[in-house]
């Protein structure tokens, strides 16, 4: 993955998790041209078998210069439901929030 | 001209507004005010569609969406469409959306020049609790306002968008 895409993904994840006590974890799925996040959220609506992403254009004036797609899932759906088409497998996930302690 | 009832007519227009909103979000180049304008219009019309049986037009006021959110837990079809068997869970989901729903409802222009909205410039006074960083007595242009707390990518907003999409899917089926 491109370094600047990864950095933008981390910024986006940190922004998403800010002030959200029900956010448990944010996973990044590798892509070369799009930030693909699954956010594990206790308040999410059930997805019914496949994670449903929302797509956002690149924020050219802001800090996220890439297109992004974000799917909210319930904790019990993690690694159980299907991922959006083309996102790979659950084994491809990289946890980007909370960050591992150094 | 196509003949339809008031309920169907409001749902059709709301769905069209919502479709434009999804395009604006996916495009990424639109100012927040334009995205929020379509969000406010889609939610108001969706709520008004639900408020009538179709024989009479809904009330001509902007405030409809919060009332809809407050009552939606009694709609069994909607609860099932949201895949929530547990009534309390559905009610809790809707209650968690209420503060954001109120902010969206308040984005409608009110004729008062001091209220933040998605369409017309307003006069920002000191101690404006909704937008505390603005300078006192300055005229704010919606296209230049970030609308803090109404980020389309925030988890609360995505929960709202999922709920709205489910409403539209349900009334389309």
């Amino acid at each position: 993955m491109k370094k600047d895409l990864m950095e933008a993904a981390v910024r986006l994840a940190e922004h998403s998790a800010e002030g959200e006590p029900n956010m448990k974890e944010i996973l990044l799925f590798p892509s070369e041209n799009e930030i693909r996040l699954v956010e594990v959220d206790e308040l999410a609506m059930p997805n019914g078998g496949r994670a449903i992403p929302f797509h956002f254009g690149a924020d050219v004036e802001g800090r996220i210069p890439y297109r992004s797609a974000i799917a909210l899932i319930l904790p019990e759906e993690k690694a159980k439901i299907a991922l959006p088409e083309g996102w790979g497998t659950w084994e491809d996930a990289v946890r980007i929030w909370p960050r591992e302690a150094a | 001209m196509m003949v339809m009832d008031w309920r169907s007519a409001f749902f059709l227009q709301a769905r069209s507004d919502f479709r434009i909103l999804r395009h604006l979000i996916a495009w990424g180049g639109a100012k927040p005010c334009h995205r929020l304008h379509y969000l406010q219009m889609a939610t108001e019309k969706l709520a008004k569609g639900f408020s009538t049986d179709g024989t009479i037009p809904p009330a001509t006021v902007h405030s409809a969406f919060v009332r809809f959110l407050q009552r939606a837990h009694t709609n069994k079809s909607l609860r099932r469409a949201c895949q929530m068997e547990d009534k309390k869970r559905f009610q809790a989901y809707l209650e968690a959306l209420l503060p954001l729903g109120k902010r969206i409802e308040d984005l409608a222009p009110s004729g008062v020049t001091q209220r933040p909205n998605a369409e017309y410039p307003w006069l920002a006074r000191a101690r404006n609790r909704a937008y505390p960083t603005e300078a006192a007595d300055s005229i704010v242009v919606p296209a230049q306002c970030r609308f803090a707390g109404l980020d389309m990518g925030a988890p609360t907003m995505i929960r709202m968008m999922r709920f709205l999409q489910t409403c539209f899917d349900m009334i389309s089926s």
Side-chain angles (χ1 to χ4, degrees):
Chain A
M1 275 184 74
K2 295 177 193 165
K3 185 170 177 247
D4 65 333
L5 188 146
M6 173 65 97
E7 289 169 352
V10 170
R11 284 198 300 274
L12 184 58
E14 287 174 345
H15 183 63
S16 272
E18 195 179 319
E20 288 285 344
N22 298 292
M23 187 63 69
K24 295 295 149 195
E25 193 176 16
I26 300 179
L27 307 171
L28 173 68
F29 287 82
S31 165
E32 285 303 309
N33 52 20
E34 180 181 65
I35 298 170
R36 296 173 173 172
L37 299 181
V38 166
E39 301 186 350
V40 183
D41 172 24
E42 288 179 324
L43 290 181
M45 184 182 291
N47 283 270
R50 182 181 288 277
I52 300 169
F54 274 82
H55 296 273
F56 302 89
D59 181 4
V60 288
E61 294 179 5
R63 301 189 310 149
I64 311 295
Y66 287 95
R67 287 184 292 125
S68 57
I70 303 175
L72 299 190
I73 66 164
L74 290 163
E76 58 267 31
E77 292 178 321
K78 184 184 166 187
K80 293 202 173 76
I81 62 173
L83 291 165
E85 200 72 40
W87 282 34
T89 68
W90 284 100
E91 285 71 38
D92 299 323
V94 178
R95 191 169 88 161
I96 58 170
W97 188 91
R99 307 294 300 270
E100 301 289 349
Chain B
M1 190 163 62
M2 188 186 295
V3 177
M4 62 175 67
D5 61 86
W6 287 106
R7 184 180 174 93
S8 303
F10 272 80
F11 283 159
L12 262 181
Q13 187 61 33
R15 190 184 303 121
S16 181
D17 289 344
F18 191 68
R19 200 170 290 143
I20 297 296
L21 169 64
R22 294 292 301 264
H23 281 301
L24 291 177
I25 293 170
W27 169 41
K31 302 283 186 189
C33 68
H34 299 302
R35 297 191 293 254
L36 293 169
H37 184 198
Y38 275 95
L39 177 61
Q40 186 276 319
M41 292 195 297
T43 52
E44 179 181 326
K45 288 162 198 157
L46 176 73
K48 286 181 173 179
F50 273 107
S51 75
T52 174
D53 64 2
T55 58
I56 53 170
T60 54
V61 291
H62 286 303
S63 55
F65 186 50
V66 168
R67 180 174 287 224
F68 166 62
L69 287 176
Q70 288 169 332
R71 293 179 175 180
H73 70 277
T74 61
N75 187 323
K76 195 186 289 183
S77 302
L78 188 51
R79 175 167 58 81
R80 287 184 177 152
C82 291
Q83 302 177 67
M84 295 194 204
E85 288 302 313
D86 184 352
K87 293 176 188 172
K88 285 184 179 170
R89 185 178 179 188
F90 185 45
Q91 193 163 0
Y93 188 89
L94 294 167
E95 282 174 4
L97 294 180
L98 271 173
L100 176 58
K102 177 77 171 92
R103 289 204 61 188
I104 293 169
E105 185 175 282
D106 286 346
L107 286 170
S110 65
V112 179
T113 57
Q114 291 164 23
R115 197 172 99 174
N117 70 90
E119 287 186 74
Y120 299 99
W122 69 87
L123 185 65
R125 297 271 189 204
R127 298 179 184 276
N128 185 335
R129 281 182 292 175
Y131 297 87
T133 58
E134 288 167 1
D137 298 320
S138 61
I139 297 171
V140 182
V141 178
Q144 295 178 330
C145 182
R146 289 181 58 248
F147 290 95
L150 291 169
D151 179 3
M152 297 306 300
T156 310
M157 188 64 87
I158 296 177
R159 287 180 212 123
M160 178 67 82
M161 293 291 286
R162 277 288 314 277
F163 173 68
L164 295 173
Q165 185 63 63
T166 304
C167 289
F168 287 116
D169 290 346
M170 187 188 84
I171 60 182
S172 300
S173 61

